[in-house]
Each structure stands twice: as C-alpha cells, then as structure tokens.
Amino acid sequence: MTDFQRSRRSDSAALANAGKASGTASGLVGAARPIPVLEVFGPTVQGEGMVVGRKTMFVRTAGCDYSCSWCDSAFTWDGSGKDDIRLLSAAAIIEELEKIGGGTFDHVTISGGNPALLPQLSALIQGLQDRGCKVALETQGSRWQPWFTAIDDLTLSPKPPSSGMTTNWDTLDDIVSRLGEAGNGFCLKVVIFDDADLDYARKVHARYRDVPFYLQAGNGNLTETDPQAMLPYLVERYEWLISRTMPDESLRGVHVLPQLHTWIYGNKKGV
C-alpha cells in the first residue's frame, strides 16, 4: 500500500464512522448516526454472488479497511470520491430509494467500500425490511456486526493474493461461526484472477466446506470505457476460470460466475 492509499483509507474509514447526531431516524430504531453514502441507484441487475441477476436497488457506502489492487470501486476509500459523500439518515436513504425506484423494487443491495464498518446500518436494514424489501450485503469478512444476522442475502468475500491483502483467518472463522450458530443463510465468494487465487479459493472452500461457495472471474481491465471492447476480455476470463474449475476435484459443488453487470455496462458507475 502506498502512503497516499494509507492516508486516504484512514480518511475514508473516519468518514465511515462520522458524525453522531441527536434524536432518532423517523420510524426507525437505533441511534441516528448518519450513514456516509456515495451512490444510490437502480433498479438494475445484481452482477455478483448468490443473487446474481436479481433485480435490485443499490446503496453504496463510503470507507473501507482494505485497499485491493484491483478494486473496481476504489473511489470509496482512496479519497477521489470524498466530495461526493453525503451523510444521510436511514430515513433519508429510504426516501431517496423510493424516489428513484418508485414501486419497481423489493430488494436493496448495500455495497461499498466495506459496509461492515458501519454499526449504524441496522436502522437502514430494519427500515427496508419493514417496507417489504429484502436486503443483500457483501463484505470481505474482516469485521463483525450484530446486524449481519438480519441480512437476507449476505456474502462474505475474503480477498485472494492478487488483491495484495492478507486474510485474518481468526476473524473470518469467528464470523462464519456466529452466522452458522444464528442459522443465518450466507455464502462465500472469491474473485479469481490467476492460479494463486485458485489455490487460495481451495483453502477457503476446504475450511468452510458446508457454506455455499462461489467463484467469480475477476476484471483486471478497469480503465476501458467501451463496454463492447470489454466483453471479449470478460468472456475470455470467464472461460479460463471454467476451464480451471471443471476438472478440479477439490472444487466440487461450487458455482462459477462472471461479473455479470460488466458484460453489459463495462466499468460504468451507477448501474
């Protein structure tokens, strides 16, 4: 990690825990600490994980405790998106979702960054579910939050060697154990760029054998702006991952996915 990344990541983590406000969000439980939001958009298709293809709205939060080398949303932690951060109450986020999506959705994905940095998300989760929405969330499994057990579609996505990050296995073990004890439905997902990542994925799958497991082809071409130019590359990466996974006896029972939304939209934000 560069000094710049380290500094910016610290800034974004601080923003992710920003501002205690007085009072409570209207109609919601929990303290009214604001939520740092970068994007609210949709409806669109979920492009990743166990609910791939699901019609969903997105809420993207700011701040991350990682700085993955291939992160496709580095603006959430590297400082480049800091001017776009809005500190919103849960009620304000729900109002914005309904203004944008109207009556077209019943599923909301909370993304990041790492939303697990935000204890105050419990109010948003409950508020959405009170309105009949299911809630999905993805995190790398580096932080536990009690509201994990309330998430309808929870994905733990520990980061492989190509990311430049190191997995804290004790922390991940603890999170998986707590979710299992709670009877919470969740899955594990590893993004794959190379054979070293596949070796890591085998280790994850063997360690948590009873947890549904997804492999996803990585996107290493983050600077391309033309979706049509992206598609042949993405198909090639997906074909490579399939060719490595199908004959592998240690990867029985896994799901092998493309990063679906990039096939249509490339690296475009807000879709």
Side-chain angles (χ1 to χ4, degrees), residues 67-119:
S67 55
C68 296
S69 61
W70 36 252
C71 180
D72 61 3
S73 53
F75 62 93
T76 64
W77 53 263
D78 68 2
S80 61
K82 64 181 181 180
D83 292 338
D84 296 323
I85 296 172
R86 295 177 294 155
L87 296 176
L88 301 177
S89 68
I93 294 169
I94 292 170
E95 182 179 357
E96 187 163 335
L97 285 164
E98 292 175 340
K99 181 178 180 181
I100 295 171
T104 65
F105 69 95
D106 64 357
H107 191 272
V108 176
T109 298
I110 303 173
S111 184
N114 183 10
L117 296 175
L118 304 172

CSV table of all heavy atoms in Angstrom, one decimal, residues 67-119:
chain,number,residue,atom,x,y,z
A,67,SER,N,-7.5,-2.1,0.7
A,67,SER,CA,-7.2,-1.3,-0.5
A,67,SER,C,-6.7,-2.3,-1.6
A,67,SER,O,-5.5,-2.3,-1.9
A,67,SER,CB,-6.1,-0.2,-0.2
A,67,SER,OG,-4.9,-0.8,0.4
A,68,CYS,N,-7.6,-3.1,-2.1
A,68,CYS,CA,-7.3,-4.1,-3.0
A,68,CYS,C,-6.8,-3.5,-4.3
A,68,CYS,O,-7.3,-2.5,-4.8
A,68,CYS,CB,-8.6,-5.0,-3.3
A,68,CYS,SG,-9.2,-5.9,-1.9
A,69,SER,N,-5.8,-4.2,-4.8
A,69,SER,CA,-5.1,-3.7,-6.0
A,69,SER,C,-6.0,-3.6,-7.2
A,69,SER,O,-5.8,-2.7,-8.1
A,69,SER,CB,-3.9,-4.6,-6.4
A,69,SER,OG,-4.3,-5.9,-6.7
A,70,TRP,N,-7.0,-4.4,-7.3
A,70,TRP,CA,-7.9,-4.4,-8.5
A,70,TRP,C,-9.3,-3.9,-8.1
A,70,TRP,O,-10.2,-4.2,-8.9
A,70,TRP,CB,-8.0,-5.8,-9.1
A,70,TRP,CG,-8.0,-7.0,-8.1
A,70,TRP,CD1,-7.0,-7.9,-7.9
A,70,TRP,CD2,-9.0,-7.4,-7.2
A,70,TRP,NE1,-7.3,-8.8,-7.0
A,70,TRP,CE2,-8.5,-8.5,-6.5
A,70,TRP,CE3,-10.3,-6.9,-6.9
A,70,TRP,CZ2,-9.3,-9.2,-5.6
A,70,TRP,CZ3,-11.1,-7.5,-6.0
A,70,TRP,CH2,-10.6,-8.7,-5.3
A,71,CYS,N,-9.4,-3.2,-7.1
A,71,CYS,CA,-10.7,-2.7,-6.6
A,71,CYS,C,-11.4,-1.9,-7.7
A,71,CYS,O,-10.8,-1.0,-8.3
A,71,CYS,CB,-10.6,-1.9,-5.4
A,71,CYS,SG,-12.1,-1.2,-4.7
A,72,ASP,N,-12.7,-2.3,-8.0
A,72,ASP,CA,-13.4,-1.6,-9.0
A,72,ASP,C,-14.2,-0.4,-8.4
A,72,ASP,O,-15.0,0.2,-9.1
A,72,ASP,CB,-14.3,-2.5,-9.8
A,72,ASP,CG,-15.3,-3.2,-9.0
A,72,ASP,OD1,-15.4,-3.0,-7.8
A,72,ASP,OD2,-16.1,-4.1,-9.6
A,73,SER,N,-14.1,-0.2,-7.1
A,73,SER,CA,-14.8,0.9,-6.5
A,73,SER,C,-13.8,1.6,-5.5
A,73,SER,O,-14.2,2.0,-4.4
A,73,SER,CB,-16.0,0.5,-5.8
A,73,SER,OG,-15.8,-0.6,-4.9
A,74,ALA,N,-12.6,1.8,-6.0
A,74,ALA,CA,-11.6,2.5,-5.1
A,74,ALA,C,-12.0,3.9,-4.7
A,74,ALA,O,-11.5,4.4,-3.7
A,74,ALA,CB,-10.2,2.5,-5.9
A,75,PHE,N,-12.9,4.5,-5.5
A,75,PHE,CA,-13.3,5.9,-5.1
A,75,PHE,C,-14.0,5.9,-3.7
A,75,PHE,O,-14.2,6.9,-3.1
A,75,PHE,CB,-14.2,6.4,-6.2
A,75,PHE,CG,-15.5,5.6,-6.4
A,75,PHE,CD1,-16.7,6.0,-5.7
A,75,PHE,CD2,-15.6,4.6,-7.2
A,75,PHE,CE1,-17.8,5.3,-5.8
A,75,PHE,CE2,-16.7,3.9,-7.4
A,75,PHE,CZ,-17.9,4.2,-6.7
A,76,THR,N,-14.4,4.7,-3.2
A,76,THR,CA,-15.0,4.6,-1.9
A,76,THR,C,-14.0,4.8,-0.8
A,76,THR,O,-14.4,5.1,0.4
A,76,THR,CB,-15.7,3.3,-1.7
A,76,THR,OG1,-14.8,2.2,-1.7
A,76,THR,CG2,-16.8,3.1,-2.8
A,77,TRP,N,-12.7,4.6,-1.1
A,77,TRP,CA,-11.7,4.7,0.0
A,77,TRP,C,-10.4,5.5,-0.3
A,77,TRP,O,-9.6,5.8,0.6
A,77,TRP,CB,-11.3,3.3,0.4
A,77,TRP,CG,-10.8,2.3,-0.7
A,77,TRP,CD1,-11.6,1.4,-1.3
A,77,TRP,CD2,-9.5,2.3,-1.2
A,77,TRP,NE1,-10.8,0.7,-2.3
A,77,TRP,CE2,-9.5,1.2,-2.2
A,77,TRP,CE3,-8.3,2.9,-1.0
A,77,TRP,CZ2,-8.4,0.9,-3.0
A,77,TRP,CZ3,-7.2,2.6,-1.7
A,77,TRP,CH2,-7.2,1.6,-2.7
A,78,ASP,N,-10.1,5.8,-1.6
A,78,ASP,CA,-8.9,6.4,-2.0
A,78,ASP,C,-8.9,7.9,-1.9
A,78,ASP,O,-7.8,8.5,-2.2
A,78,ASP,CB,-8.4,5.9,-3.3
A,78,ASP,CG,-9.2,6.3,-4.5
A,78,ASP,OD1,-10.2,7.1,-4.3
A,78,ASP,OD2,-8.9,5.9,-5.6
A,79,GLY,N,-10.0,8.5,-1.6
A,79,GLY,CA,-10.1,9.9,-1.5
A,79,GLY,C,-10.6,10.6,-2.7
A,79,GLY,O,-11.0,11.8,-2.6
A,80,SER,N,-10.7,9.9,-3.8
A,80,SER,CA,-11.1,10.5,-5.1
A,80,SER,C,-12.6,10.8,-5.1
A,80,SER,O,-13.1,11.7,-5.8
A,80,SER,CB,-10.8,9.6,-6.3
A,80,SER,OG,-11.4,8.4,-6.2
A,81,GLY,N,-13.4,10.1,-4.2
A,81,GLY,CA,-14.8,10.4,-4.2
A,81,GLY,C,-15.3,11.1,-3.0
A,81,GLY,O,-16.5,11.2,-2.7
A,82,LYS,N,-14.3,11.7,-2.2
A,82,LYS,CA,-14.7,12.3,-0.9
A,82,LYS,C,-15.7,13.4,-1.1
A,82,LYS,O,-16.5,13.6,-0.2
A,82,LYS,CB,-13.5,12.7,-0.2
A,82,LYS,CG,-12.7,13.9,-0.8
A,82,LYS,CD,-11.5,14.2,0.0
A,82,LYS,CE,-10.7,15.3,-0.7
A,82,LYS,NZ,-9.5,15.7,0.2
A,83,ASP,N,-15.6,14.2,-2.2
A,83,ASP,CA,-16.6,15.3,-2.3
A,83,ASP,C,-18.0,14.9,-2.6
A,83,ASP,O,-18.9,15.7,-2.6
A,83,ASP,CB,-16.1,16.2,-3.5
A,83,ASP,CG,-14.8,16.9,-3.1
A,83,ASP,OD1,-14.5,17.1,-1.9
A,83,ASP,OD2,-14.1,17.4,-4.0
A,84,ASP,N,-18.2,13.6,-3.0
A,84,ASP,CA,-19.5,13.0,-3.3
A,84,ASP,C,-20.2,12.4,-2.1
A,84,ASP,O,-21.3,11.9,-2.2
A,84,ASP,CB,-19.4,12.0,-4.4
A,84,ASP,CG,-18.9,12.6,-5.7
A,84,ASP,OD1,-19.3,13.8,-6.0
A,84,ASP,OD2,-18.1,12.0,-6.5
A,85,ILE,N,-19.5,12.3,-1.0
A,85,ILE,CA,-20.0,11.6,0.2
A,85,ILE,C,-21.1,12.5,0.8
A,85,ILE,O,-20.9,13.7,1.1
A,85,ILE,CB,-18.9,11.3,1.2
A,85,ILE,CG1,-17.9,10.3,0.7
A,85,ILE,CG2,-19.6,10.8,2.5
A,85,ILE,CD1,-16.7,10.1,1.6
A,86,ARG,N,-22.3,11.9,1.1
A,86,ARG,CA,-23.3,12.6,1.8
A,86,ARG,C,-23.6,11.8,3.1
A,86,ARG,O,-23.7,10.6,3.0
A,86,ARG,CB,-24.6,12.6,0.9
A,86,ARG,CG,-24.5,13.5,-0.3
A,86,ARG,CD,-25.8,13.4,-1.2
A,86,ARG,NE,-26.0,12.0,-1.7
A,86,ARG,CZ,-27.2,11.5,-2.0
A,86,ARG,NH1,-28.3,12.3,-1.8
A,86,ARG,NH2,-27.3,10.3,-2.5
A,87,LEU,N,-23.7,12.5,4.2
A,87,LEU,CA,-24.1,11.9,5.4
A,87,LEU,C,-25.6,11.9,5.6
A,87,LEU,O,-26.2,12.9,5.8
A,87,LEU,CB,-23.4,12.6,6.6
A,87,LEU,CG,-21.9,12.5,6.6
A,87,LEU,CD1,-21.3,13.4,7.7
A,87,LEU,CD2,-21.4,11.1,6.6
A,88,LEU,N,-26.2,10.7,5.4
A,88,LEU,CA,-27.7,10.6,5.4
A,88,LEU,C,-28.2,9.7,6.5
A,88,LEU,O,-27.6,8.8,6.9
A,88,LEU,CB,-28.1,10.0,4.0
A,88,LEU,CG,-27.7,10.8,2.8
A,88,LEU,CD1,-28.2,10.0,1.5
A,88,LEU,CD2,-28.3,12.2,2.8
A,89,SER,N,-29.4,10.1,6.9
A,89,SER,CA,-30.1,9.2,7.9
A,89,SER,C,-30.7,8.0,7.1
A,89,SER,O,-30.8,8.0,5.9
A,89,SER,CB,-31.3,9.9,8.6
A,89,SER,OG,-32.3,10.2,7.6
A,90,ALA,N,-31.0,6.9,7.9
A,90,ALA,CA,-31.7,5.8,7.2
A,90,ALA,C,-33.0,6.2,6.5
A,90,ALA,O,-33.2,5.8,5.4
A,90,ALA,CB,-31.9,4.7,8.3
A,91,ALA,N,-33.7,7.1,7.2
A,91,ALA,CA,-35.0,7.5,6.6
A,91,ALA,C,-34.8,8.3,5.3
A,91,ALA,O,-35.5,8.1,4.3
A,91,ALA,CB,-35.7,8.4,7.6
A,92,ALA,N,-33.7,9.1,5.2
A,92,ALA,CA,-33.4,9.8,4.0
A,92,ALA,C,-33.0,8.9,2.9
A,92,ALA,O,-33.4,9.1,1.7
A,92,ALA,CB,-32.3,10.9,4.3
A,93,ILE,N,-32.2,7.9,3.2
A,93,ILE,CA,-31.8,6.9,2.2
A,93,ILE,C,-33.0,6.2,1.6
A,93,ILE,O,-33.2,6.0,0.4
A,93,ILE,CB,-30.8,5.9,2.8
A,93,ILE,CG1,-29.5,6.6,3.1
A,93,ILE,CG2,-30.5,4.8,1.8
A,93,ILE,CD1,-28.6,5.8,4.0
A,94,ILE,N,-33.9,5.7,2.5
A,94,ILE,CA,-35.1,5.0,2.0
A,94,ILE,C,-36.0,5.9,1.2
A,94,ILE,O,-36.5,5.5,0.1
A,94,ILE,CB,-35.9,4.5,3.3
A,94,ILE,CG1,-35.1,3.4,3.9
A,94,ILE,CG2,-37.3,4.0,2.8
A,94,ILE,CD1,-35.7,2.9,5.3
A,95,GLU,N,-36.1,7.2,1.6
A,95,GLU,CA,-36.9,8.2,0.8
A,95,GLU,C,-36.3,8.3,-0.6
A,95,GLU,O,-37.0,8.4,-1.6
A,95,GLU,CB,-36.9,9.5,1.5
A,95,GLU,CG,-37.7,10.6,0.8
A,95,GLU,CD,-37.7,11.9,1.5
A,95,GLU,OE1,-37.2,12.0,2.6
A,95,GLU,OE2,-38.3,12.9,1.0
A,96,GLU,N,-34.9,8.4,-0.7
A,96,GLU,CA,-34.3,8.5,-2.0
A,96,GLU,C,-34.4,7.3,-2.8
A,96,GLU,O,-34.7,7.3,-4.0
A,96,GLU,CB,-32.8,8.8,-1.8
A,96,GLU,CG,-32.1,9.1,-3.1
A,96,GLU,CD,-30.7,9.8,-2.8
A,96,GLU,OE1,-30.6,10.5,-1.8
A,96,GLU,OE2,-29.9,9.7,-3.7
A,97,LEU,N,-34.3,6.1,-2.2
A,97,LEU,CA,-34.6,4.8,-3.0
A,97,LEU,C,-36.0,4.8,-3.6
A,97,LEU,O,-36.2,4.4,-4.7
A,97,LEU,CB,-34.4,3.6,-2.0
A,97,LEU,CG,-33.0,3.3,-1.6
A,97,LEU,CD1,-33.0,2.3,-0.4
A,97,LEU,CD2,-32.3,2.6,-2.8
A,98,GLU,N,-37.0,5.2,-2.8
A,98,GLU,CA,-38.3,5.2,-3.3
A,98,GLU,C,-38.6,6.3,-4.3
A,98,GLU,O,-39.3,6.1,-5.3
A,98,GLU,CB,-39.3,5.4,-2.1
A,98,GLU,CG,-39.3,4.2,-1.1
A,98,GLU,CD,-40.1,4.4,0.1
A,98,GLU,OE1,-40.4,5.6,0.4
A,98,GLU,OE2,-40.5,3.4,0.7
A,99,LYS,N,-37.9,7.4,-4.2
A,99,LYS,CA,-38.0,8.5,-5.2
A,99,LYS,C,-37.4,8.0,-6.6
A,99,LYS,O,-38.0,8.3,-7.6
A,99,LYS,CB,-37.3,9.7,-4.8
A,99,LYS,CG,-37.3,10.9,-5.7
A,99,LYS,CD,-36.6,12.1,-5.2
A,99,LYS,CE,-36.7,13.3,-6.2
A,99,LYS,NZ,-36.0,14.5,-5.6
A,100,ILE,N,-36.3,7.3,-6.5
A,100,ILE,CA,-35.6,6.8,-7.7
A,100,ILE,C,-36.3,5.6,-8.3
A,100,ILE,O,-36.6,5.5,-9.5
A,100,ILE,CB,-34.1,6.5,-7.4
A,100,ILE,CG1,-33.4,7.8,-7.1
A,100,ILE,CG2,-33.5,5.8,-8.7
A,100,ILE,CD1,-32.0,7.5,-6.6
A,101,GLY,N,-36.6,4.6,-7.4
A,101,GLY,CA,-37.1,3.4,-7.9
A,101,GLY,C,-38.6,3.2,-7.9
A,101,GLY,O,-39.2,2.3,-8.5
A,102,GLY,N,-39.3,4.1,-7.2
A,102,GLY,CA,-40.8,4.0,-7.2
A,102,GLY,C,-41.2,2.7,-6.6
A,102,GLY,O,-40.7,2.2,-5.6
A,103,GLY,N,-42.2,2.1,-7.3
A,103,GLY,CA,-42.7,0.8,-6.8
A,103,GLY,C,-42.1,-0.4,-7.6
A,103,GLY,O,-42.7,-1.4,-7.6
A,104,THR,N,-41.0,-0.2,-8.2
A,104,THR,CA,-40.4,-1.2,-9.1
A,104,THR,C,-39.5,-2.2,-8.4
A,104,THR,O,-39.0,-3.1,-9.1
A,104,THR,CB,-39.6,-0.5,-10.2
A,104,THR,OG1,-38.4,0.1,-9.7
A,104,THR,CG2,-40.4,0.5,-11.0
A,105,PHE,N,-39.3,-2.1,-7.1
A,105,PHE,CA,-38.3,-3.0,-6.5
A,105,PHE,C,-38.7,-3.5,-5.2
A,105,PHE,O,-39.6,-2.9,-4.5
A,105,PHE,CB,-36.9,-2.2,-6.3
A,105,PHE,CG,-37.0,-1.1,-5.3
A,105,PHE,CD1,-36.6,-1.3,-4.0
A,105,PHE,CD2,-37.5,0.2,-5.6
A,105,PHE,CE1,-36.7,-0.3,-3.0
A,105,PHE,CE2,-37.5,1.2,-4.7
A,105,PHE,CZ,-37.1,0.9,-3.3
A,106,ASP,N,-38.2,-4.6,-4.8
A,106,ASP,CA,-38.4,-5.2,-3.4
A,106,ASP,C,-37.1,-5.8,-2.9
A,106,ASP,O,-37.1,-6.6,-2.0
A,106,ASP,CB,-39.5,-6.2,-3.4
A,106,ASP,CG,-39.2,-7.5,-4.3
A,106,ASP,OD1,-38.1,-7.5,-4.9
A,106,ASP,OD2,-40.0,-8.4,-4.3
A,107,HIS,N,-36.0,-5.3,-3.4
A,107,HIS,CA,-34.7,-5.8,-3.0
A,107,HIS,C,-33.7,-4.7,-3.1
A,107,HIS,O,-33.6,-3.9,-4.0
A,107,HIS,CB,-34.2,-7.0,-3.9
A,107,HIS,CG,-33.1,-7.7,-3.5
A,107,HIS,ND1,-31.8,-7.4,-3.8
A,107,HIS,CD2,-33.0,-8.9,-2.8
A,107,HIS,CE1,-30.9,-8.3,-3.3
A,107,HIS,NE2,-31.6,-9.2,-2.7
A,108,VAL,N,-32.9,-4.6,-2.0
A,108,VAL,CA,-31.8,-3.5,-1.9
A,108,VAL,C,-30.5,-4.1,-1.6
A,108,VAL,O,-30.4,-4.9,-0.6
A,108,VAL,CB,-32.2,-2.4,-0.9
A,108,VAL,CG1,-31.1,-1.4,-0.8
A,108,VAL,CG2,-33.5,-1.7,-1.3
A,109,THR,N,-29.5,-3.8,-2.3
A,109,THR,CA,-28.1,-4.2,-2.0
A,109,THR,C,-27.3,-3.1,-1.4
A,109,THR,O,-27.3,-2.0,-2.0
A,109,THR,CB,-27.4,-4.7,-3.3
A,109,THR,OG1,-28.1,-5.8,-3.9
A,109,THR,CG2,-26.0,-5.1,-3.0
A,110,ILE,N,-26.8,-3.3,-0.3
A,110,ILE,CA,-25.9,-2.4,0.4
A,110,ILE,C,-24.4,-2.8,0.1
A,110,ILE,O,-24.0,-3.9,0.3
A,110,ILE,CB,-26.1,-2.3,1.9
A,110,ILE,CG1,-27.5,-2.0,2.2
A,110,ILE,CG2,-25.2,-1.3,2.6
A,110,ILE,CD1,-27.9,-2.1,3.7
A,111,SER,N,-23.7,-1.8,-0.6
A,111,SER,CA,-22.4,-2.1,-1.1
A,111,SER,C,-21.4,-1.1,-0.6
A,111,SER,O,-21.7,-0.2,0.2
A,111,SER,CB,-22.4,-2.1,-2.6
A,111,SER,OG,-21.2,-2.5,-3.2
A,112,GLY,N,-20.2,-1.2,-1.0
A,112,GLY,CA,-19.1,-0.3,-0.5
A,112,GLY,C,-18.0,-0.2,-1.6
A,112,GLY,O,-18.2,-0.5,-2.7
A,113,GLY,N,-16.8,0.0,-1.1
A,113,GLY,CA,-16.3,0.0,0.3
A,113,GLY,C,-16.6,-1.2,1.0
A,113,GLY,O,-16.9,-2.3,0.5
A,114,ASN,N,-16.6,-1.1,2.4
A,114,ASN,CA,-16.9,-2.2,3.3
A,114,ASN,C,-18.0,-1.7,4.2
A,114,ASN,O,-17.7,-1.0,5.2
A,114,ASN,CB,-15.7,-2.6,4.1
A,114,ASN,CG,-16.1,-3.8,5.0
A,114,ASN,OD1,-17.1,-4.4,4.9
A,114,ASN,ND2,-15.1,-4.1,5.9
A,115,PRO,N,-19.3,-2.0,3.9
A,115,PRO,CA,-20.4,-1.6,4.8
A,115,PRO,C,-20.3,-2.1,6.2
A,115,PRO,O,-20.9,-1.5,7.1
A,115,PRO,CB,-21.6,-2.2,4.1
A,115,PRO,CG,-21.2,-2.5,2.7
A,115,PRO,CD,-19.7,-2.8,2.8
A,116,ALA,N,-19.5,-3.1,6.4
A,116,ALA,CA,-19.3,-3.7,7.8
A,116,ALA,C,-18.6,-2.7,8.7
A,116,ALA,O,-18.5,-3.0,9.9
A,116,ALA,CB,-18.6,-5.0,7.7
A,117,LEU,N,-18.1,-1.6,8.2
A,117,LEU,CA,-17.5,-0.6,9.1
A,117,LEU,C,-18.6,0.2,9.8
A,117,LEU,O,-18.3,1.0,10.7
A,117,LEU,CB,-16.6,0.3,8.3
A,117,LEU,CG,-15.4,-0.2,7.6
A,117,LEU,CD1,-14.7,0.8,6.7
A,117,LEU,CD2,-14.4,-0.8,8.6
A,118,LEU,N,-19.9,0.0,9.5
A,118,LEU,CA,-20.9,0.9,9.9
A,118,LEU,C,-21.9,0.3,10.8
A,118,LEU,O,-22.9,-0.3,10.3
A,118,LEU,CB,-21.6,1.5,8.6
A,118,LEU,CG,-20.8,2.2,7.6
A,118,LEU,CD1,-21.5,2.5,6.3
A,118,LEU,CD2,-20.1,3.4,8.2
A,119,PRO,N,-21.8,0.4,12.1
A,119,PRO,CA,-22.8,-0.2,13.0
A,119,PRO,C,-24.1,0.4,12.8
A,119,PRO,O,-25.2,-0.2,13.1
A,119,PRO,CB,-22.2,0.1,14.4
A,119,PRO,CG,-21.2,1.2,14.2
A,119,PRO,CD,-20.7,1.0,12.8
